Amino acid sequence: MFSILVLHGPNLNLLGQREPGIYGSATLEDINGLLEREALGLQVKISILQSNHEGALVDAVHSAWGQHQGILINAGAYTHTSVAIRDALAGVKIPTVEVHLSNIYRREAFRHHSYIAPIAIGQISGFGSDSYLLGLRALVNHLNN
Ligand code: CA2
């Protein structure tokens, strides 16, 4: 059975409490519950971590080596700034899918660039919590094929 590491980056712990207009009303717990249910259906195991710290996310990616076969990541604002997270993902060579709740291309120009996208299998952006579910499905399909 494939094991997938789900990583949530900075401020995603605030979901559902503020800015529901942009990010929807689901809390991170809600999203994690949906992911657990989807994982059951897809017959994969998932481990979930949220961190507001870049280094903790880098450490989690390193620890995934040999433990997880895929990574689903919403790196939050680090998407647009972190060469360190990109290098970690590229270093462990674990197939990665990048997801975003909002459509980052409809927003401010500084959100249009992702350091992660070029080293990911693909990116899903703009579907709210469905972005995570679609991303998990795409990742598992990729691993199964
Ligand atoms: O759309 C996404 O999923 C983002 O990764 C969310 C990040 C943002 O920096 C990215 O550009 C796009 C923000 C994370 C959530 O931030 C919140 C801030 C206040 C209240 C609730 C959430």
Side-chain angles (χ1 to χ4, degrees), residues 80-124:
H80 320 298
T81 64
S82 182
V83 177
I85 293 174
R86 173 209 175 110
D87 284 351
L89 291 166
V92 297
K93 291 193 171 69
I94 298 173
T96 296
V97 171
E98 173 184 354
V99 298
H100 297 285
L101 295 155
S102 62
N103 179 347
I104 57 175
Y105 303 100
R106 286 179 68 168
R107 302 185 62 195
E108 303 96 323
F110 65 83
R111 296 186 204 273
H112 296 180
H113 177 261
S114 164
Y115 279 103
I116 295 169
I119 54 91
I121 303 165
Q123 182 196 69
I124 298 172

Side-chain angles (χ1 to χ4, degrees), residues 25-93:
S25 55
T27 64
L28 195 60
E29 258 186 29
D30 294 335
I31 291 174
N32 290 341
L34 293 170
L35 279 168
E36 295 283 5
R37 198 178 63 181
E38 191 75 10
L40 265 181
L42 292 167
Q43 294 184 294
V44 295
K45 182 179 162 330
I46 58 171
S47 304
I48 304 176
L49 174 81
Q50 188 275 329
S51 179
N52 295 319
H53 304 276
E54 186 175 16
L57 293 164
V58 169
D59 285 345
V61 171
H62 293 175
S63 305
W65 196 79
Q67 304 294 318
H68 302 286
Q69 290 72 50
I71 297 178
L72 184 71
I73 184 166
N74 182 352
Y78 289 145
T79 304
H80 320 298
T81 64
S82 182
V83 177
I85 293 174
R86 173 209 175 110
D87 284 351
L89 291 166
V92 297
K93 291 193 171 69

